[in-house]
Amino acid sequence: MDEELGATFGKAVREARARLGLTQVEVAALLDMHPMVYSRMERGKMLPRVSTLRKVAMVLRTSTDELLGLAREGRTGAKKQSSLQRRLMTLSETLDDEKLKALVVMASALSR
């Protein structure tokens, strides 16, 4: 394994996860992988397959270029969200329709 690429990837994944306010366990669950495997990726000890790289980028809402150290610029024009808002959005993507409707009802009641 390319150690420099592993370190670059690990740092980018860790930073993207932190921006979303998620734990390693939460991201691993969203990726359907064991938390220890995800931890190895964050520590730069393991690089994912291409299909997993794509999934990591989607879950962490970033580009594969950023994860591979090819693009250092963040998204432009994106509305600034708090880490709690990003975390709620990411976790809501795992809910089925019934639970998502319940979350909307709860959020509506809280916003009054």
Side-chain angles (χ1 to χ4, degrees):
M1 181 185 88
D2 182 331
E3 289 183 25
E4 183 179 341
L5 179 57
T8 298
F9 178 77
K11 181 179 181 201
V13 170
R14 190 171 44 258
E15 289 173 355
R17 176 181 59 78
R19 279 194 305 268
L20 293 175
L22 297 172
T23 66
Q24 286 187 353
V25 172
E26 289 168 332
V27 174
L30 292 169
L31 293 170
D32 194 29
M33 72 173 48
H34 195 280
M36 289 185 71
V37 174
Y38 179 77
S39 174
R40 288 186 68 212
M41 285 195 304
E42 269 202 15
R43 289 182 284 125
K45 302 298 182 189
M46 181 183 131
L47 290 170
R49 295 181 306 190
V50 173
S51 59
T52 303
L53 172 65
R54 181 177 181 269
K55 196 172 178 182
V56 169
M58 290 170 50
V59 165
L60 295 178
R61 298 176 185 220
T62 190
S63 70
T64 54
D65 281 357
E66 186 175 334
L67 295 178
L68 295 173
L70 301 174
R72 285 291 167 204
E73 296 179 29
R75 295 183 203 162
T76 57
K79 182 181 174 188
K80 188 80 170 169
Q81 292 180 328
S82 75
S83 62
L84 288 175
Q85 287 172 317
R86 291 188 303 268
R87 184 174 184 190
L88 179 61
M89 288 296 297
T90 302
L91 293 174
S92 71
E93 292 174 358
T94 65
L95 302 176
D96 61 30
D97 284 343
E98 185 177 322
K99 290 178 181 176
L100 192 55
K101 286 177 188 176
L103 179 61
V104 169
V105 169
M106 288 174 40
S108 295
L110 289 171
S111 69
R112 293 183 192 154

